[in-house]
Amino acid sequence: MNGSFLSKAVMVTIMCMLLMSCDSLSSIVPSQDAEQSGQVLQLVINDLGLEFPEGLNENRNPYVEEIKSRTKLDLQFILPLASVYEEKLNVYMSQVKRPDMLHVYNPVWLDRYMKAGELIALDDLLQEHGQALLSKIPKEAWQQVTYEGHIYAVPSLHEIKGVELMYARKDWLDRLGLDPPRTLDEYAEVIRAFKEDDPDGNGLQDTTGLILTENLGRSAPFFGAFGTQLDSWMVSDGRLEYGSLVPEAKEALAFFRRLYQKGLLDPEFPLNRHRNLESKVVNGYVGLFSAAWYDTRGMIAESKRRNPQAEWIVLDYPTGPNGANGVYSEELIRGYNVIPTGSKHAVEVIQLLNYIAGDGAETLKLGFKDQVWQMIDGKMVTNFEEHDKHLYRGIYQSLVNLQDAVLDKQRLDSLGDYHLYDNLKYIEGHLIPNAFKGMPTPSMGKLAMKPTELYERFVRIIVGVDSLDAFDQIVKEWMDSGGSEVTREVNAWYRQQQWTNPK
C-alpha cells in the first residue's frame, strides 16, 4: 500500500495515444529484417519525464549504442505515454506476442500477473546469467519478489532511504531573536512568529508560518513528532497498525487544525502543488518547511540567488511530547523488471539487466567519463553543461538502480556544495520504517478507501469543515471498507516473519 505508483490519467480514445506517441512510432518498430530474425529484444520502459536532445530518441543515442556494443544485444526500447503507462502494460499482457520485458512500478500489478502464472520464474536464469544482480541486490529485495519459492522479477532499488528534512531561514530566526526549534512547542512558536512578527522586515504581514502541499505533502516530520507516518504500517503492542489511522495520527491532525484556526498554516495548502511551494519559497514568503533532500540544489538555491540575505539551515526534526521524531522511509524497491511468459529472449533480458548492474553501472549512473565528468586530484568534477545534456541516460540506468554509498557520494558531491549527501545521511538517522515489507495482500486491491480519500477527509478536519472526532468515524469506515481484512492479512505476514526470522 505504501510506495509511489505512477498516477493514472483518464484513457483517451485515440489509439495512437494509447499505444505510443505518433511522432515516435517509426522509432520503436523493429526493422523487417530484425523482426524476421527474431533476435530483437523488445523492452517496455518509462521515460521518467526525461527528454532526449534534438536528433536523439530512446533507440538512437550514445548510451544505447554503448549498451549494444558491450552486450552484443539488439535492443528495441518502447516508451508508452506516462499518463497511460500501467494501462498500456495491461494491453501488452493481453497480446499473443508480448514484449520481452516490462518495467513495472505497481506491486499490485506484479502480484496479479505473478500469481496468474503470466510471468517467467527467473531463478535458474539469474544463477547462470545474473551474478552481478544477485551480488548487488540485497536478499530483502529478492524476498519481496518471490512467490511460492521462485523469483519473478528483478527489482530496481530506491537509491535513497528517505526524502524529507526541515529547513528554516536562519536570517529570519536571528532577526526575531529565536533559536532554531527542536521540540514541537518550539516549532509552534517559530511558526507563529514567522507569520505574525514580520520576519523579513518589510513592514507587511505577507509571510507564511508553515506550508504544506496537496494530500498532506511535506507533513512527514510533524506526523513523526507523534510517532507515526501516513500510509505506513507501525508496530504497536506486538502487532501492525495502519499509521494513517492510529491515535497518534489524530493528535497530528489536531496540531495542524490548531495552526489553521490561528491562521498560521498556509490557507492554500490543500491546493498547493510543487510549483506553488517552489514559487512561495523562492519569492520569500516561506521561512520554514519540510524540504526534500535535493531542494538545496533547487528552490533553496534559487531563494539565495534572488535574495542574498537568505540563509537556510537544517533544523532538528520536531520532537513530540513523548520524545518521538522522524520521517517515513522510502520503500526498498521502486520498480520491477518482469519477463512475460512466451518471451524467447529471457536469457538476453537477464544478460542486459546484469550488464546494467555490473559493468555498465558507472557509465549509466555518472555519464561518460571525460565527457560528463572527470577525476581531478582524486575528486570527481562534473561538467554541468554536459551533465544536463546526458540526463536521459537515467531512463536506462533506472532499470536496475542500486544502492552504492561510495559512488553516490562522489556523484552528489560533484554536483556542487549543496549538502546533498549530508542531507541524505542526516535523514537516514531519523527514519520511521514501514514495518510491512511484503507483497500486497489479497485484500489490498479490493480496499475501497484509498490513501488519497483519507487525505481528503483529513484536510476537512484540519480546515474545520469536519470535527476532530470525525477521525474516529473515518477509522470505522476504513475498517468496514476492507481495512479490517487488510489488517488481518498484514499481521499474518508479520507473525510469519517473526516466526521465520526471529531476532
Side-chain angles (χ1 to χ4, degrees):
M1 297 181 67
N2 194 23
S4 303
F5 304 152
L6 294 177
S7 62
K8 297 180 179 179
V10 177
M11 246 183 167
V12 295
T13 57
I14 304 173
M15 183 59 68
C16 188
M17 180 172 287
L18 174 63
L19 294 175
M20 61 213 47
S21 168
C22 293
D23 293 339
S24 62
L25 183 60
S26 62
S27 71
I28 70 170
V29 177
S31 68
Q32 188 174 3
D33 291 342
E35 202 167 43
Q36 289 175 349
S37 71
Q39 297 305 307
V40 175
L41 274 69
Q42 292 188 311
L43 309 130
V44 180
I45 63 177
N46 192 275
D47 66 11
L48 305 179
L50 299 172
E51 297 181 356
F52 293 93
E54 186 176 355
L56 304 181
N57 61 37
E58 62 270 24
N59 289 304
R60 187 173 64 250
N61 63 70
Y63 290 94
V64 167
E65 294 307 315
E66 174 77 4
I67 295 170
K68 288 181 177 181
S69 173
R70 298 290 185 179
T71 63
K72 311 303 180 187
L73 297 172
D74 194 354
L75 310 174
Q76 202 74 33
F77 292 101
I78 302 172
L79 272 65
L81 290 172
S83 59
V84 291
Y85 190 82
E86 190 166 310
E87 289 89 342
K88 183 56 185 169
L89 296 181
N90 292 329
V91 171
Y92 280 124
M93 291 299 291
S94 70
Q95 296 174 346
V96 175
K97 186 180 185 305
R98 298 166 169 175
D100 296 296
M101 191 201 82
L102 306 174
H103 191 73
V104 182
Y105 293 92
N106 188 342
V108 174
W109 189 101
L110 171 63
D111 187 67
R112 169 190 170 190
Y113 286 100
M114 180 175 63
K115 291 180 177 176
E118 300 290 341
L119 306 177
I120 293 177
L122 307 178
D123 307 74
D124 293 340
L125 292 166
L126 288 165
Q127 287 297 331
E128 189 170 353
H129 305 284
Q131 287 303 310
L133 294 167
L134 292 173
S135 66
K136 294 189 176 184
I137 296 174
K139 180 180 179 181
E140 180 185 352
W142 291 116
Q143 289 175 336
Q144 293 185 37
V145 295
T146 297
Y147 175 64
E148 293 186 341
H150 295 289
I151 294 170
Y152 285 92
V154 174
S156 179
L157 309 181
H158 272 113
E159 63 185 351
I160 62 171
K161 297 180 180 180
V163 177
E164 294 184 42
L165 72 170
M166 296 300 306
Y167 263 86
R169 289 275 300 265
K170 185 177 183 299
D171 55 311
W172 285 16
L173 291 170
D174 291 345
R175 180 177 288 118
L176 299 179
L178 297 170
D179 293 325
R182 292 181 173 83
T183 68
L184 200 58
D185 288 341
E186 290 170 352
Y187 263 89
E189 172 55 21
V190 169
I191 290 168
R192 183 208 62 76
F194 277 11
K195 171 63 178 176
E196 297 179 349
D197 294 350
D198 191 22
D200 58 359
N202 67 356
L204 303 173
Q205 198 172 82
D206 57 355
T207 52
T208 295
L210 177 65
I211 187 169
L212 306 178
T213 59
E214 61 181 349
N215 293 328
L216 294 179
R218 306 300 180 110
S219 66
F222 295 96
F223 278 93
F226 293 95
T228 191
Q229 287 294 297
L230 294 174
D231 200 25
S232 290
W233 290 87
M234 321 302 295
V235 179
S236 177
D237 295 328
R239 67 189 308 272
L240 300 189
E241 295 185 355
Y242 192 42
S244 297
L245 299 175
V246 295
E248 292 82 359
K250 183 178 182 180
E251 295 177 33
L253 294 180
F255 173 78
F256 287 126
R257 181 182 170 96
R258 289 193 295 272
L259 293 181
Y260 189 87
Q261 289 174 336
K262 295 177 181 178
L264 306 180
L265 185 61
D266 179 16
E268 298 176 346
F269 84 88
L271 303 177
N272 280 335
R273 296 192 172 184
H274 181 270
R275 63 177 176 269
N276 305 107
L277 170 66
E278 182 174 18
S279 174
K280 292 175 181 180
V281 170
V282 165
N283 289 306
Y285 300 119
V286 174
L288 180 150
F289 74 113
S290 182
W293 64 273
Y294 50 80
D295 282 341
T296 48
R297 192 169 180 257
M299 66 181 79
I300 288 176
E302 181 62 24
S303 165
K304 294 179 179 180
R305 282 191 288 269
R306 296 198 186 188
N307 178 11
Q309 302 300 317
E311 182 183 358
W312 291 87
I313 59 171
V314 176
L315 299 178
D316 290 340
Y317 285 107
T319 298
N322 295 322
N325 64 51
V327 289
Y328 62 90
S329 174
E330 282 284 6
E331 295 298 304
L332 177 62
I333 299 175
R334 76 175 188 181
Y336 310 84
N337 301 285
V338 299
I339 304 177
T341 54
S343 171
K344 298 179 180 179
H345 303 300
V347 168
E348 290 84 353
V349 170
I350 297 301
Q351 289 173 338
L352 168 66
L353 298 176
N354 196 66
Y355 168 77
I356 294 174
D359 293 342
E362 181 180 279
T363 295
L364 289 174
K365 174 161 279 196
L366 303 179
F368 291 116
K369 186 178 181 180
D370 297 325
Q371 184 176 1
V372 175
W373 62 278
Q374 58 183 315
M375 297 299 291
I376 299 177
D377 297 329
K379 183 178 181 181
M380 182 183 295
V381 177
T382 294
N383 180 323
F384 289 108
E385 183 177 353
E386 290 297 319
H387 169 77
D388 291 343
K389 291 179 184 177
H390 291 244
L391 287 175
Y392 68 87
R393 70 182 183 274
I395 294 173
Y396 313 101
Q397 182 269 327
S398 69
L399 294 179
V400 191
N401 204 49
L402 301 169
Q403 295 177 348
D404 186 327
V406 175
L407 199 61
D408 287 340
K409 178 170 173 40
Q410 286 182 320
R411 179 174 64 89
L412 294 174
D413 287 349
S414 77
L415 298 178
D417 188 21
Y418 298 109
H419 308 290
L420 297 175
Y421 187 76
D422 293 340
N423 282 350
L424 287 175
K425 297 307 292 183
Y426 179 75
I427 295 170
E428 286 180 20
H430 299 82
L431 294 176
I432 299 176
N434 181 5
F436 177 68
K437 303 181 186 301
M439 290 297 292
T441 71
S443 296
M444 284 183 177
K446 304 173 186 177
L447 186 62
M449 189 177 286
K450 305 300 184 184
T452 51
E453 182 179 345
L454 287 177
Y455 303 155
E456 290 170 1
R457 300 280 293 274
F458 291 166
V459 167
R460 289 173 61 89
I461 290 174
I462 292 171
V463 302
V465 173
D466 293 337
S467 70
L468 182 60
D469 287 338
F471 180 87
D472 303 320
Q473 179 62 28
I474 295 172
V475 174
K476 182 179 185 303
E477 291 178 23
W478 185 84
M479 296 295 284
D480 292 344
S481 73
S484 59
E485 186 64 17
V486 171
T487 302
R488 185 191 67 77
E489 294 169 347
V490 165
N491 276 283
W493 171 90
Y494 184 65
R495 287 192 298 272
Q496 180 66 23
Q497 300 307 303
Q498 300 300 102
W499 176 260
T500 57
N501 300 298
K503 294 182 180 179

